[in-house]
Amino acid sequence: MDFTRLRGVGVSPGIALGRAALVGRVLFSSRKEYVPPHRVEDELQRLKTAVAKTRAELAELKDTIRNKVGEEHAFIFDAHLLILDDATLLSSFEKTIREENVRAETALSEAYEHYRKIFDGLGDEYFKQRKSDVADVLTKVYRNLAPAAEESADDVRDKILVAHDLLPSEAALRLSQGNVLAVALDMGGSTSHTAILARSLGIPTVVGLRDIAATIKNGDLLIVDGTDGEVIINPPLTVQKEFQGKKAKYDAYGRELKKVAALRSQTLDGVRFSPMANIELPEEVAHALSYGAEGIGLFRSEFIYLQRSTLPSEEDHYEIYARLAREAQPRPVYIRTIDIGGEKNLPQLSIQKEPNPALGLRAIRFSLQNPGLFRTQIRAILRASTLKNVRILIPMITEVEEIGEVKAVFRDVQGELAAKNIPFDPDIPLGIMIEVPAAAALADVLIKDVDYFSIGTNDLIQYYLAVDRSNEFVSYLYKPLHPAVLRLLKFVVEAASRAGKDVTVCGEMAADPLAAMVLFGLGVRTFSMNPIFIPRVKNALRSVSSRTVRRALAKALTLRTAQEVEEQLIEALLVEHPGAFLMGY
Ligand code: PEP
Ligand code: MG
């Protein structure tokens, strides 16, 4: 039968059947994409074709504008054509492709970065403006490199978005347009923020398909199976029927899980807990509540920047935070100040490339070095706090001094608002993420300076075990149940409890039923996770008694390996409560 099956990695579950919309890349990527030496000539040819096509487009645009609006407005395209004809520029692309064995896209991205730096360094406003001309021309060539650029779809609603790659910023723009049926990408990994976003929006997604963007045409019929990591191109009727059956079963399972949302969050012996949602976009609140979220435990505010190409104003921030507070009330909303760096590079913020972004100018470090941006964000959060359900959360705190600096800004902005009679919640809680091992070790000291902790296990485990959270080569070492991790978590949770303050866990660990039991046994009562995982975790915690969990954990804390911990916990819990993991573990 004449149809193609492609295998990839399913990063957001669910099944969709629909027409493909092929999307060209919108932004430049800092990711280097290599090609084997025998493909270098092909890349040079792709570049030549794209440049020729761009030249023809520019000439046509110039004619159209001259005829419709007048000669004086057509000059801009002369400037663009001159840039495109610059021999040094073109030979620099060719040199990069040849010498570094990279795709034409990588050569263009590097050139873009190079010119951005040069223009940003110039004091003269006129020259700074010229940056956008160069960027414009490079973007046009870049788009024309896409295999089916002439068909690149603008509207992905009710379609399956197919692309070579989708940066978090592009994903934020595209996926929030509404009703994208599914996503299929050549590149990507499961912990990327594009994957996190797709999961949050409940969009079935398969990544790592290698060459789907070059294989399909706009309008092809596709099945995307985000649960099993498969994409089928132009399936015959029999296969479509088979998947419709699978989809019906999957959807029924989803509905069954969702029934748990309406049940009380308490263990068999009546101990209460609160599942909350991690979200990236304000549009997700209703979706999160439908899964039983009892609050927004983490709003990753950096996505405000990723969704737009210009800097957000205080009003832009305010509207988003006020909407979150309004839609979630009376439930709490934890707004985390921006955590940029690493793969979350923001085009509008000229961030320097760093050799070790995970250990670099990230999160609160970046905010404290950019006080203007930080104050704007804090002002907007404070203004949105009048319903008294907003909390501020500071990411990547490493030492006491940083809290002091944050508080100074905080007090100053509060003073400013008070002086202008602008209302805000004077009791707004200020908390910190515990995601750097040093902060965890200093938990008993840091808790005195803040109102609560939120443990970011994604980063805490990465830094504590020295295992890159998105590197598949070392993922076998990334173990939330590592005895060393358990000791550290115990110390942090006890420090907060002794001080009578709240502690939340908002890393992926909270989304795993067994790990959630461990956290519960340690004393954690608030678990924030991707909303789709709430029913599973809630169901597991509802099926056990707190006494059994505490006893099983006490034994687990004496063990030497993650595997021993896991086996002992499962055994001890299942003996008492055979149904504990019925909904999956
Ligand atoms: C974490 O590190 O656990 C966390 C929740 O933050 P992020 O995943 O955004 O780094
Ligand atoms: Mg983190």
Side-chain angles (χ1 to χ4, degrees):
M1 244 176 273
D2 190 22
F3 70 100
T4 315
R5 293 181 106 104
L6 294 178
R7 279 245 140 245
V9 184
V11 294
S12 178
I15 293 167
L17 179 114
R19 299 278 164 196
L22 198 56
V23 165
R25 202 180 247 157
V26 186
L27 293 169
F28 296 97
S29 163
S30 59
R31 202 176 290 154
K32 243 187 158 96
E33 291 184 48
Y34 293 97
V35 290
H38 69 269
R39 291 265 306 273
V40 163
E41 285 308 319
D42 293 348
E43 291 304 308
L44 292 170
Q45 193 49 51
R46 282 180 65 226
L47 176 69
K48 262 197 202 121
T49 314
V51 169
K53 188 155 177 241
T54 310
R55 191 175 289 119
E57 278 172 8
L58 282 171
E60 196 183 321
L61 260 172
K62 184 180 143 186
D63 281 349
T64 316
I65 298 291
R66 190 174 36 215
N67 294 339
K68 289 203 174 142
V69 210
E71 184 73 50
E72 68 278 21
H73 293 284
F75 83 97
I76 177 78
F77 297 104
D78 283 326
H80 285 192
L81 281 163
L82 276 176
I83 295 171
L84 200 57
D85 286 335
D86 182 344
T88 347
L89 186 70
L90 293 185
S91 63
S92 80
F93 299 151
E94 291 174 1
K95 191 162 171 266
T96 311
I97 296 174
R98 247 187 242 291
E99 291 181 1
E100 301 185 28
N101 281 3
V102 287
R103 280 169 65 93
E105 281 86 348
T106 300
L108 274 153
S109 299
E110 288 185 0
Y112 174 77
E113 190 55 26
H114 173 72
Y115 284 101
R116 187 181 66 71
K117 276 200 192 126
I118 293 181
F119 283 111
D120 281 351
L122 298 174
D124 189 308
E125 212 29 59
Y126 173 81
F127 283 114
K128 280 197 174 159
Q129 292 297 321
R130 300 286 68 75
K131 177 177 80 171
S132 56
D133 290 336
V134 176
D136 206 351
V137 172
L138 293 183
T139 307
K140 285 194 170 77
V141 179
Y142 200 101
R143 286 217 173 109
N144 283 333
L145 281 169
E150 66 282 7
E151 301 174 81
S152 182
D154 283 330
D155 193 351
V156 289
R157 272 170 299 184
D158 303 317
K159 304 231 173 68
I160 292 178
L161 188 161
V162 180
H164 176 65
D165 194 7
L166 200 63
L167 298 174
S169 42
E170 296 171 277
L173 276 174
R174 295 286 192 175
L175 302 186
S176 59
Q177 280 178 0
N179 212 31
V180 175
L181 297 181
V183 175
L185 305 177
D186 289 342
M187 307 282 287
S190 81
T191 50
S192 72
H193 281 85
T194 296
I196 289 182
L197 190 63
R199 276 200 291 277
S200 296
L201 295 171
I203 301 174
T205 299
V206 180
V207 302
L209 289 158
R210 287 161 193 272
D211 50 10
I212 188 167
T215 313
I216 64 137
K217 290 189 301 302
N218 266 328
D220 274 349
L221 187 67
L222 300 183
I223 291 172
V224 174
D225 181 347
T227 309
D228 285 342
E230 191 175 36
V231 174
I232 301 174
I233 305 172
N234 293 325
L237 218 50
T238 45
V239 178
Q240 287 181 39
K241 283 218 174 96
E242 181 196 319
F243 270 83
Q244 259 148 1
K246 198 171 169 189
K247 177 170 160 49
K249 267 197 206 132
Y250 184 83
D251 292 348
Y253 172 70
R255 279 194 298 275
E256 207 47 45
L257 267 183
K258 269 196 164 176
K259 286 188 190 152
V260 181
L263 305 176
R264 248 171 121 79
S265 302
Q266 65 180 31
T267 57
L268 287 178
D269 53 344
V271 178
R272 297 297 304 259
F273 59 91
S274 291
M276 294 202 189
N278 293 351
I279 65 169
E280 286 77 40
L281 304 172
E283 293 82 11
E284 290 176 65
V285 176
H287 169 80
L289 300 184
S290 77
Y291 278 92
E294 294 177 11
I296 302 303
L298 174 64
F299 175 63
R300 290 182 164 103
S301 69
E302 56 276 10
F303 275 81
I304 297 174
Y305 287 75
L306 292 171
Q307 257 192 304
R308 52 196 304 132
S309 51
T310 52
L311 275 181
S313 65
E314 183 181 320
E315 275 326 290
D316 295 328
H317 278 285
Y318 170 74
E319 270 168 34
I320 291 170
Y321 305 145
R323 175 175 173 189
L324 285 172
R326 207 170 45 239
E327 291 189 11
Q329 69 160 325
R331 304 171 194 85
V333 177
Y334 296 59
I335 299 175
R336 181 176 75 181
T337 59
I338 58 171
D339 178 2
I340 52 91
E343 65 167 353
K344 286 182 277 185
N345 201 345
L346 307 181
Q348 64 275 60
L349 285 183
S350 354
I351 296 170
Q352 296 279 334
K353 274 216 184 94
E354 297 175 306
N356 247 323
L359 304 180
L361 196 61
R362 248 189 91 173
I364 191 58
R365 304 170 181 184
F366 178 86
S367 291
L368 289 175
Q369 290 206 17
N370 291 275
L373 291 180
F374 190 45
R375 289 175 75 93
T376 301
Q377 181 167 32
I378 295 286
R379 262 179 80 95
I381 300 176
L382 280 168
R383 283 176 53 206
S385 68
T386 50
L387 296 172
K388 290 195 159 264
N389 62 337
V390 172
R391 297 171 169 229
I392 295 192
L393 180 55
I394 308 292
M396 284 280 289
I397 288 285
T398 312
E399 54 174 30
V400 168
E401 290 89 331
E402 285 170 332
I403 301 178
E405 285 183 59
V406 167
K407 281 189 164 172
V409 173
F410 199 53
R411 270 194 304 269
D412 212 43
V413 175
Q414 281 182 324
E416 241 172 56
L417 292 176
K420 290 192 180 151
N421 283 326
I422 299 173
F424 63 91
D425 174 9
D427 303 317
I428 184 170
L430 175 74
I432 57 170
M433 300 270 295
I434 298 290
E435 49 186 351
V436 176
L442 208 59
D444 52 332
V445 174
L446 298 183
I447 194 68
K448 296 201 177 100
D449 285 351
V450 296
D451 298 312
Y452 69 94
F453 281 161
S454 181
I455 308 178
T457 51
N458 300 342
D459 279 315
L460 185 62
I461 296 171
Q462 127 162 304
Y463 295 130
Y464 196 43
L465 299 183
V467 179
D468 181 345
R469 64 192 256 194
S470 47
N471 179 345
E472 61 193 69
F473 298 116
V474 286
S475 60
Y476 70 99
L477 289 170
Y478 192 94
K479 294 179 182 165
L481 298 184
H482 190 301
V485 173
L486 300 191
R487 288 184 192 193
L488 192 67
L489 291 172
K490 183 168 185 286
F491 181 74
V492 176
V493 176
E494 284 177 358
S497 307
R498 263 200 307 275
K501 297 193 175 165
D502 287 349
V503 56
T504 301
V505 173
C506 65
E508 296 286 311
M509 187 173 173
D512 173 81
L514 188 66
M517 300 255 190
V518 170
L519 296 168
F520 182 87
L522 290 173
V524 174
R525 295 292 175 266
T526 310
F527 304 83
S528 196
M529 66 198 87
N530 196 305
I532 60 171
F533 299 125
I534 289 178
R536 214 176 52 172
V537 168
K538 185 166 165 182
N539 190 62
L541 287 171
R542 278 175 46 84
S543 333
V544 294
S545 86
S546 63
R547 225 163 16 97
T548 322
V549 177
R550 270 199 308 274
R551 222 179 311 129
L553 181 69
K555 172 88 195 300
L557 285 169
T558 65
L559 301 174
R560 298 174 315 136
T561 69
Q563 194 181 339
E564 285 172 17
V565 168
E566 182 171 339
E567 286 168 3
Q568 125 77 21
L569 282 170
I570 293 177
E571 199 182 311
L573 291 167
L574 288 184
V575 165
E576 298 272 340
H577 308 295
F581 302 115
L582 272 187
M583 284 194 166
Y585 139 64

